[in-house]
DNA sequence: ATCCCGAGGG
DNA sequence: CCCTCTGGAT
């Protein structure tokens, strides 16, 4: 993928500003070790990580590792997830996930992208989170709903699907920056550049954003009754 | 009514 | 490409 020096510089300028604005940007899912982060990230689909952090302490107290969770039945895990969206699918997925870890990976989380996405309930986004947070360098930039929305609003991409956006962002940033890119975009997305009511008046990259003041017209389809 | 650190299946 | 799984927050 060829990227013009001008475009690369424009993106780098906004990223540098975001790093200054959010020096503490990091993963906020509570976890101890790769297994717990993998499970927490699977649970985080279409749910705020605040909700995930409300259920994982009890979950990990009872099932702290792959071996213990692999021995559980999905029905005994379900009540522990009951306040999350998709809790039935997620209970089934994390038990199957734990069983595969025990069967094929000695109960450990593989530090390998292809092995990760082969696990039940684990897609590109989850695999990149685990690789980035626990093993230093993700395969590609984590593209969740925030990263998708902000990279579109900031004019970093014109693509509309997570896979294509991931490819573009990964080409825009060197490996050692990719984990931080997703985290600063997520922080900014939660605090300022929200989906429904972005607060451009309080945005630290307003002068670098082509959508400033009209961000509601980018992103997902407008309401318009 | 729309969104939240999505993934699997048709 | 589409649909489904699911509950809480705004």
């Amino acid at each position: 993928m060829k990227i013009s020096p001008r475009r690369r510089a424009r993106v780098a300028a906004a990223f540098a500003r975001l790093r200054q604005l959010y020096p503490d940007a990091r993963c906020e899912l509570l976890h101890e070790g790769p297994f717990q982060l993998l499970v927490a990230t699977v649970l985080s689909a279409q749910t705020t990580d605040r909700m995930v952090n409300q259920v994982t302490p009890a979950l990990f107290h009872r099932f702290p590792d792959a071996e213990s969770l692999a021995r559980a039945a999905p029905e005994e895990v379900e009540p522990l997830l009951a306040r999350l969206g998709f809790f039935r699918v997620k209970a089934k997925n994390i038990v199957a996930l734990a069983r595969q870890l025990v069967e094929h990976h000695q109960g450990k989380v593989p530090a390998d992208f292809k092995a990760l996405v082969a696990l039940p309930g684990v897609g590109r986004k989850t695999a990149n989170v685990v690789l980035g947070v626990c093993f230093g360098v993700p395969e590609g930039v984590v593209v969740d709903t925030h990263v998708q929305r902000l990279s579109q609003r900031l004019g970093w991409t014109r693509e509309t699907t997570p896979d294509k956006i991931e490819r573009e962002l990964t080409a825009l940033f060197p490996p050692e920056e990719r984990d931080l890119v997703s985290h600063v975009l997520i922080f900014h997305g939660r605090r300022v550049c929200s989906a429904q009511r972005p607060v451009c008046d309080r945005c630290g990259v307003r002068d670098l954003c082509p959508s400033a003041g009209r961000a509601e017209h980018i992103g997902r389809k407008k309401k318009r009754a």
Side-chain angles (χ1 to χ4, degrees), chain A residues 110-129:
Chain A
D112 175 73
F113 185 81
K114 285 186 178 173
L116 283 168
V117 293
L119 297 167
V122 180
R124 303 187 61 89
K125 181 260 174 183
T126 299
N128 278 325
V129 167

Side-chain angles (χ1 to χ4, degrees), chain A residues 12-67:
Chain A
F15 174 54
R17 187 85 63 80
L18 288 168
R19 290 177 74 153
Q20 290 184 311
L21 290 169
Y22 307 104
D24 56 338
R26 59 185 163 74
C27 175
E28 290 188 308
L29 292 169
L30 299 177
H31 66 282
E32 281 182 32
F35 169 75
Q36 293 188 4
L37 179 63
L38 178 56
V39 171
T41 308
V42 169
L43 297 182
S44 75
Q46 296 300 105
T47 307
T48 57
D49 52 351
R50 196 175 65 85
M51 290 297 298
V52 175
N53 288 340
Q54 285 177 22
V55 308
T56 47
L59 178 70
F60 295 147
H61 179 71
R62 187 155 164 199
F63 306 110
D65 48 35
E67 286 79 8

Side-chain angles (χ1 to χ4, degrees), chain A residues 10-209:
Chain A
R10 192 169 62 77
V11 171
F15 174 54
R17 187 85 63 80
L18 288 168
R19 290 177 74 153
Q20 290 184 311
L21 290 169
Y22 307 104
D24 56 338
R26 59 185 163 74
C27 175
E28 290 188 308
L29 292 169
L30 299 177
H31 66 282
E32 281 182 32
F35 169 75
Q36 293 188 4
L37 179 63
L38 178 56
V39 171
T41 308
V42 169
L43 297 182
S44 75
Q46 296 300 105
T47 307
T48 57
D49 52 351
R50 196 175 65 85
M51 290 297 298
V52 175
N53 288 340
Q54 285 177 22
V55 308
T56 47
L59 178 70
F60 295 147
H61 179 71
R62 187 155 164 199
F63 306 110
D65 48 35
E67 286 79 8
S68 52
L69 186 56
R71 280 184 248 112
E75 302 79 57
E76 51 180 323
V77 177
E78 279 183 14
L80 293 167
L81 310 182
R83 301 195 52 206
L84 298 181
F86 308 154
F87 69 92
R88 266 187 285 271
V89 194
K90 288 172 180 176
K92 184 159 62 74
N93 278 343
I94 63 175
V95 169
L97 171 63
R99 289 177 182 168
Q100 283 206 25
L101 289 179
V102 171
E103 273 191 52
H104 301 298
H105 301 284
Q106 297 80 46
K108 292 181 185 175
V109 176
D112 175 73
F113 185 81
K114 285 186 178 173
L116 283 168
V117 293
L119 297 167
V122 180
R124 303 187 61 89
K125 181 260 174 183
T126 299
N128 278 325
V129 167
V130 171
L131 287 177
V133 174
C134 291
F135 299 107
V137 181
E139 169 110 348
V141 173
V142 170
V143 178
D144 65 3
T145 177
H146 291 297
V147 174
Q148 167 158 351
R149 183 180 71 252
L150 266 73
S151 51
Q152 287 170 340
R153 286 179 178 172
L154 284 164
W156 290 4
T157 183
R158 289 182 204 172
E159 299 292 349
T160 56
T161 68
D163 278 24
K164 290 179 180 174
I165 293 174
E166 181 190 327
R167 254 178 270 150
E168 264 203 287
L169 294 185
T170 302
L172 278 168
F173 297 96
E176 66 275 13
E177 288 182 346
R178 289 171 195 162
D179 185 52
L180 192 54
V181 168
S182 52
H183 283 120
V184 296
L185 289 179
I186 289 163
F187 268 55
H188 190 57
R190 286 207 284 240
R191 294 167 190 195
V192 177
C193 194
S194 59
Q196 294 177 305
R197 265 173 49 87
V199 191
C200 296
D201 292 345
R202 276 181 246 154
C203 177
V205 290
R206 183 187 177 122
D207 58 314
L208 302 175
C209 180

